[in-house]
Amino acid sequence: MSSSTSPVAELSSSVSTVSTKTTEADATPNDDVDDCEECVLSQGRICICDACDEERTKLERTKKRKRFSQSTATGRMSEYCQPAKADADMEEERLTKMTSACNTILKCIGEDPSREGLLKTPERWAKALLFMTSGYSLSAEQVLNDAVFTEDSHKEIVVVKDIDIHSMCEHHMVPFTGKVHVGYIPNGKIIGLSKIARIAEVFSRRLQVQERLTRQIVDAIVDAVEPLGVGVVIESSHFCMVMRGVQKVGARTVTSCVRGCFESNPKTRAEFFNIINR
């Protein structure tokens, strides 16, 4: 009788060997992953530590700013300054609703919306109100448009004063108008002068109270250039005090807000107020 191994035994032995090798091969990568978990970048994986996540956020912001600058330079439609078709449809819907509401208001005060002088008044009023509250569709970052420049040599007060503002009192929805004065001390970065006026415009074209408007302008400049100090003064006339209520025509409201060395150093604060009062 032959002592050679039967075909069935050989097949069983081969299957056992392959199974063993497969198990060892499957186990090896898992062991490597466990050993190298701390070095995920070397495996082509994305690190999610706080430092890397912050770096990716900064990079994405830079890319968005470049795309915005390129689209503005080439005149192409930009997500920042051109409404999409859906936005245009929404604006048309708002106009329709506001026009209808104005018709109702005219009837409630005893007017006839169908008379010649008032036929187009509801639509004009709706468009005017949307313009006077256009600040809701903008942000300080958008109007700033990267107009921040490195400048280490200037460490004195920069003042832009007598900036006209027109806003609407949120309590009665009637206008208040006046001037805003802005001063800041650079800390290595300066802001384009016209952008200061545009920042004031963004926040004034909303339903406002003067106190909050003053603070919002200060906070926007702090966020933009991180100055050593900043101060904002607004003086305005409120038509809710002129056309109704106490009806005091000559009354003016003055508000101020200061940060940094304007707040901590009385001499710096006094210098700012002396400049804007010349």
Side-chain angles (χ1 to χ4, degrees), residues 103 106 111-122 124:
N103 270 302
L106 289 173
E111 263 293 356
D112 177 13
S114 63
R115 72 177 176 87
E116 182 182 7
L118 294 177
L119 284 176
K120 295 186 178 181
T121 296
R124 293 191 192 103

Side-chain angles (χ1 to χ4, degrees), residues 178-189:
K179 296 183 182 296
V180 56
H181 316 291
V182 179
Y184 76 100
I185 298 180
N187 186 24
K189 294 187 290 185

